[in-house]
Amino acid sequence: MWMPVCGLSRLISQTIVCARVTGVDLILVWTEGHAVACERLCPHEQADLALGHLSGRRLFCPRHAASFDLRKGTISHGWPSRPLRIYPTRIDDGQVWIDATAVNSPAI
Ligand code: FES
């Protein structure tokens, strides 16, 4: 089930926007012309990734030095944590939509 979560113009102007989809906290990130949705808490020690910073398609955690590839969620080399969960998005009618079914499915 697809849900609209944020206006596209708002995401472009703010770069990182917090959202809550069916009880799950996540963030939307605008990077290199793409909208990416991912979990909000860092898989390492649950820092708030909404406070992180972007470099290209990498999102850097605000607490430690780990970063995540926003295409696949992979964490930077040497960290013992699982990848960041990435959720499907699409842009339609000036809105960013998220696949809420994927948000609620168990992590693989
Ligand atoms: S809490 Fe994010 S890298 Fe440690």
Side-chain angles (χ1 to χ4, degrees):
M1 177 183 64
W2 289 89
M3 292 178 52
V5 288
C6 178
L8 178 59
S9 57
R10 178 180 168 213
L11 178 60
I12 291 172
S13 66
Q14 295 186 10
T15 309
I16 297 178
V17 170
C18 300
R20 193 169 173 84
V21 174
T22 58
V24 177
D25 286 316
L26 47 82
I27 56 173
L28 290 168
V29 180
W30 182 252
T31 173
E32 298 184 342
H34 296 271
V36 177
C38 64
E39 60 188 327
R40 181 170 174 176
L41 298 182
C42 178
H44 180 229
E45 288 184 0
Q46 288 73 54
D48 185 357
L49 292 173
L51 303 176
H53 73 272
L54 276 172
S55 178
R57 291 261 188 124
R58 294 201 77 82
L59 176 63
F60 286 77
C61 179
R63 185 173 301 166
H64 304 118
S67 66
F68 299 91
D69 183 325
L70 291 175
R71 282 165 285 219
K72 295 183 176 175
T74 47
I75 192 168
S76 44
H77 183 72
W79 290 86
S81 300
R82 64 171 174 78
L84 188 68
R85 291 194 72 188
I86 306 286
Y87 307 114
T89 60
R90 65 181 170 88
I91 295 170
D92 192 19
D93 199 24
Q95 296 281 319
V96 182
W97 298 66
I98 291 182
D99 183 353
T101 306
V103 172
N104 283 301
S105 66
I108 297 172

